[in-house]
Amino acid sequence: MSSSTANHGPLSGLRVVDASTILAGPLACQILGDFGAEVIKVEHPKAGDGMRGHGPSVDGTPIWWSEISRNKRTVALSLSSPEGAEVLRRLVATADVLVENFRPGTLERWGLSPEHLLELNPRLVVARITGFGQTGPYAARAGFGTLAEAMSGFAHLTGQADGPPTLPAFGLADSIAGIAASSAISMALYERERSGTGQVIDLSLLEPIMAAVGPGPSVYGLTGQVGQRHGNRSTNNSPRNAYETEDGHWVAISTSAQAIAERVLTLVGHPEVIDEPWFASGHTRAQHADQLDGYVGDWIGERTRAEVVAAFTEAGAAVAPVYSAQDLVEDEHVRATQMLTPVDDPALGEVLQHNVMWRMSETPGGIRFPGRAIGADTDAVLTELGLSPDDISKLREEEVIR
């Protein structure tokens, strides 16, 4: 997206301090920055954000950092030192939002409790993202997305019926929490427009993914039933699975709608089952998954991926190829809608990144610049806060900043 549109996001004029690490908080702030907010990334002057070490790199330059920290100015600041804490106080006094994910009690120990910060800036929105929330028996535990994926019910329901619980190969819980946090922050800012005051958001990694997994606790509470693993099948409808094509690719289909199920079975040459009483609902179709998967799998296995997708599309049935990253890059729809967009990075060259997550007709947002080197904007930001060159030099000598 061009720089001409990038400065017209709906959050233009807001200042966000990103004092979070790894994924959930940084993703929330990436979203806010993509839609116009000025984001100032605060990270430890020596260790930096652990996201700098996540994922592949090119000649020592991390690829993911270029995206997760785009549209963010970077300040290297030690918050655990009294001098660093004072700099943060000055910074949040000018800010609209602070995002942090330290263990509960850490900010308080440094004299940076939300209550204190709200005294300095009553309009401040403080988003606190932790593994298990600020209260409760598990509040002090180390919190990572993997733990939330395990405890939420996701791993219990994922995998083959006769296999072990399966964890995702990516930061699922963190990503869901990051998107949820951007929504929560937007709500708090909307409320601030009505009340004039900020507030504290307590967001755990666990709760958003629990919601995504579905109503399992409600089902258990009412019926005593506990969901089990079914591989790629569903207890709610059938056929629903991943099927291998003749040329060694995979496609996924879903028949959540009755009309789609009828079209699929007609397409694969078994319209006779449509008249079976059990075919009339997704739940009862799922009880005949072996039979239906056999019909669909045999038909798909005799055709190439391109042939399968073309036939399903023509029949008005739901199908999608199982894509790798290469497939996504080459897909005509992804290209036409600019779901991925090139970004110039001074260290990496042209980087293909995920575009902003949604399109807005009047305030589209955009990518202004990629993630920057640690401490790249320390001097500029501190000067804006009124610190003199001597003040900045002293802080650097004391290793409070970088």
Side-chain angles (χ1 to χ4, degrees):
M1 195 167 291
S2 69
S3 59
S4 63
T5 62
N7 294 322
H8 298 292
L11 301 181
S12 294
L14 288 172
R15 170 172 280 192
V16 177
V17 178
D18 177 6
S20 62
T21 59
I22 305 297
L23 183 51
L27 177 59
C29 293
Q30 176 204 314
I31 296 170
L32 300 177
D34 284 351
F35 287 95
E38 176 201 5
V39 181
I40 299 176
K41 175 72 181 179
V42 175
E43 53 187 326
H44 193 275
K46 292 183 179 179
D49 183 346
M51 278 301 300
R52 290 184 180 272
H54 269 51
S57 62
V58 175
D59 296 329
T61 301
I63 298 173
W64 199 352
W65 182 261
S66 181
E67 177 171 327
I68 199 73
S69 286
R70 67 194 189 195
N71 298 331
K72 301 179 185 180
R73 294 200 288 167
T74 64
V75 173
L77 178 65
S78 174
L79 301 182
S80 61
S81 68
E83 297 83 0
E86 178 56 31
V87 172
L88 186 74
R89 292 187 193 98
R90 296 178 69 158
L91 183 57
V92 298
T94 71
D96 298 282
V97 179
L98 169 67
V99 179
E100 64 95 8
N101 68 336
F102 299 104
R103 286 201 198 186
T106 301
L107 284 186
E108 287 80 355
R109 189 170 66 251
W110 294 339
L112 296 169
S113 70
E115 294 77 16
H116 174 68
L117 298 180
L118 282 164
E119 288 179 3
L120 295 175
N121 181 357
R123 291 174 56 82
L124 182 68
V125 171
V126 182
R128 314 191 78 177
I129 305 173
T130 55
F132 303 102
Q134 297 292 318
T135 61
Y138 301 159
R141 289 186 180 181
F144 296 98
T146 298
L147 310 185
E149 289 146 11
M151 291 181 64
S152 64
F154 174 86
H156 175 78
L157 293 174
T158 305
Q160 296 302 318
D162 57 353
T166 302
L167 295 164
F170 56 94
L172 178 62
D174 274 280
S175 297
I176 295 173
I179 297 169
S182 71
S183 177
I185 291 166
S186 298
M187 292 180 191
L189 291 170
Y190 181 78
E191 166 58 25
R192 191 183 71 172
E193 291 305 302
R194 298 194 297 184
S195 66
T197 59
Q199 61 183 295
V200 180
I201 298 167
D202 178 5
L203 177 71
S204 74
L205 297 183
L206 183 56
E207 287 180 276
I209 191 173
M210 282 174 59
V213 170
S218 299
V219 173
Y220 172 72
L222 292 171
T223 70
Q225 296 177 1
V226 175
Q228 301 299 322
R229 292 185 288 284
H230 300 282
N232 291 318
R233 288 179 174 176
S234 169
T235 58
N236 298 316
N237 69 84
S238 182
R240 190 267 198 183
N241 214 324
Y243 307 89
E244 189 172 12
T245 63
E246 185 273 335
D247 53 351
H249 295 290
W250 291 82
V251 296
I253 71 169
S254 175
T255 56
S256 297
Q258 182 67 21
I260 298 295
E262 294 175 4
R263 291 171 194 167
V264 169
L265 270 297
T266 300
L267 174 64
V268 302
H270 289 278
E272 73 279 0
V273 299
I274 296 173
D275 295 325
E276 295 285 350
W278 53 262
F279 198 86
S281 76
H283 179 70
T284 51
R285 289 201 310 273
Q287 297 171 11
H288 294 260
D290 287 343
Q291 178 182 353
L292 296 177
D293 273 346
Y295 292 155
V296 175
D298 288 346
W299 188 90
I300 288 176
E302 295 174 352
R303 292 161 176 80
T304 66
R305 181 173 73 179
E307 291 171 338
V308 171
V309 171
F312 267 71
T313 301
E314 183 178 356
V319 68
V322 177
Y323 271 177
S324 67
Q326 178 181 348
D327 294 321
L328 273 174
V329 169
E330 296 173 352
D331 182 83
E332 61 178 352
H333 182 80
V334 173
R335 287 174 176 267
T337 58
Q338 296 183 308
M339 291 182 182
L340 300 171
T341 187
V343 176
D344 290 327
D345 186 294
L348 295 168
E350 185 176 274
V351 183
L352 198 60
Q353 295 187 2
H354 298 98
N355 209 334
V356 297
M357 284 193 183
W358 49 84
R359 309 293 184 263
M360 300 182 71
S361 62
E362 303 304 318
T363 52
I367 302 168
R368 301 184 292 280
F369 53 88
R372 294 164 59 75
I374 186 169
D377 304 287
T378 300
D379 287 27
V381 171
L382 268 57
T383 298
E384 292 169 8
L385 295 177
L387 278 73
S388 69
D390 289 343
D391 294 332
I392 295 172
S393 295
K394 183 179 180 182
L395 290 172
R396 185 162 284 119
E397 290 172 3
E398 295 171 348
E399 299 186 338
V400 174
I401 64 172
R402 174 174 169 180

